[in-house]
């Protein structure tokens, strides 16, 4: 079945450092790929998405590129802020044969120190 | 626009008690899902629905029931609570089969003693 593997955390960075959180996936067909962010005590929020190979999703300075050849969707940000401290989840949604189901990675906790 | 509303936010149950976690969305989304989040295990799908009157099991359905009588509401019922059901529960909805991404509720933190 479908699966998502995320870089293990926790990740601790200093403010203005470069961020990369790795994500690879296994899926049949042509899944859509997502990054969600979860702040303490809240639900998940969609951060960015990409629906086909070579698409780049971007939002709030975060970027990720759908790489079908390496089955990856790594999250990057050039300069992190303290407010970016949260848990980040990589996820995929299958094509219509898996309607209603999304598969999530285990999450990566990011802490940014001033 | 309220999005996805979950109630209650916190609940403590005794083993063997039953209860219903409520979920409502006002975005006319067809697809709704229930997930549980446990430390180190990410999110696991309990049940999902592709439209009113249609539900199906996810990865961890045992001990839970769902129904979808309207597009807006998707309650999750715990039949006889067990300590293993202590978790944070999230309801999520989407226009399509998740291709556009899900909108999540703020969660229900359930403790079973």
């Amino acid at each position: 079945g479908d699966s998502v593997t995320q870089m293990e955390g926790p990740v601790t960075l200093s403010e203005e450092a470069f961020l990369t959180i790795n994500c690879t996936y296994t899926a049949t067909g042509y899944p859509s790929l997502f990054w969600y962010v979860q702040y303490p005590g809240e639900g998940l929020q969609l951060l960015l998405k990409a629906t086909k190979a070579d698409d780049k999703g971007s939002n709030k300075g975060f970027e990720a590129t759908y790489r079908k050849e390496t089955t990856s969707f790594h999250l990057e940000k050039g300069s992190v802020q303290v407010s970016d401290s949260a848990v980040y989840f990589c996820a995929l949604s299958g094509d219509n044969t898996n309607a209603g189901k999304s598969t999530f990675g285990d999450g990566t906790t990011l802490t940014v120190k001033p | 626009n309220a999005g996805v509303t979950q109630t209650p936010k916190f609940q403590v149950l005794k083993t063997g008690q039953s209860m219903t976690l409520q979920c409502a969305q006002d975005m006319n989304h067809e697809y709704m899902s229930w997930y549980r989040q446990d430390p180190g295990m990410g999110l696991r799908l309990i049940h999902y629905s592709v439209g009113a009157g249609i539900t199906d099991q996810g990865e961890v359905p045992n001990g839970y029931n769902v129904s979808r009588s309207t597009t807006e509401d998707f309650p999750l019922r715990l039949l006889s609570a067990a300590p293993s059901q202590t978790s944070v529960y999230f309801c999520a909805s989407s226009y399509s089969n998740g291709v556009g991404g899900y909108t999540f509720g703020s969660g229900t933190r359930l403790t079973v003693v």
Side-chain angles (χ1 to χ4, degrees):
Chain A
D2 295 347
S3 67
V4 174
T5 302
Q6 274 184 245
M7 166 180 161
E8 287 189 17
V11 175
T12 302
L13 296 174
S14 297
E15 207 165 22
E16 299 185 1
F18 185 86
L19 169 71
T20 300
I21 301 178
N22 290 338
C23 172
T24 57
Y25 69 90
T26 302
T28 56
Y30 301 94
S32 294
L33 302 175
F34 308 87
W35 278 101
Y36 289 85
V37 58
Q38 183 180 31
Y39 299 103
E42 299 183 8
L44 280 70
Q45 302 173 25
L46 180 63
L47 180 60
L48 54 84
K49 67 181 179 183
T51 58
K52 61 182 186 295
D54 299 325
D55 269 1
K56 178 185 284 188
S58 61
N59 186 25
K60 300 180 181 179
F62 291 90
E63 293 183 340
T65 301
Y66 190 146
R67 301 289 189 196
K68 193 166 180 64
E69 65 275 13
T70 55
T71 62
S72 65
F73 193 55
H74 305 321
L75 181 68
E76 297 182 337
K77 186 175 186 183
S79 177
V80 293
Q81 305 300 313
V82 173
S83 57
D84 294 327
S85 298
V87 182
Y88 292 83
F89 291 90
C90 184
L92 68 84
S93 283
D95 55 22
N96 287 330
T97 60
N98 290 302
K101 298 183 178 180
S102 288
T103 301
F104 289 81
D106 289 343
T108 300
T109 300
L110 170 66
T111 301
V112 181
K113 296 188 173 181
Chain B
N1 185 357
V4 178
T5 302
Q6 288 185 240
T7 56
K9 292 190 180 300
F10 302 94
Q11 183 70 49
V12 179
L13 288 179
K14 294 182 178 179
T15 297
Q17 287 185 317
S18 63
M19 79 160 294
T20 299
L21 279 62
Q22 302 291 343
C23 176
Q25 53 92 6
D26 62 358
M27 297 170 285
N28 202 32
H29 285 174
E30 292 182 351
Y31 293 80
M32 297 186 74
S33 305
W34 276 102
Y35 292 88
R36 59 177 290 173
Q37 184 178 32
D38 301 294
M41 301 188 75
L43 278 83
R44 294 183 290 171
L45 182 64
I46 304 171
H47 286 285
Y48 67 100
S49 170
V50 300
I54 306 170
T55 64
D56 205 348
Q57 296 181 351
E59 181 184 355
V60 289
N62 292 340
Y64 308 95
N65 273 357
V66 292
S67 60
R68 184 93 179 272
S69 57
T70 67
T71 299
E72 294 78 18
D73 299 302
F74 191 45
L76 178 72
R77 282 182 289 277
L78 280 70
L79 309 174
S80 177
S84 60
Q85 294 179 305
T86 294
S87 186
V88 181
Y89 292 83
F90 289 102
C91 180
S93 71
S94 171
Y95 274 121
S96 61
N97 60 351
V99 171
Y102 279 94
T103 300
F104 281 81
S106 58
T108 296
R109 185 175 295 274
L110 175 68
T111 302
V112 182
V113 298

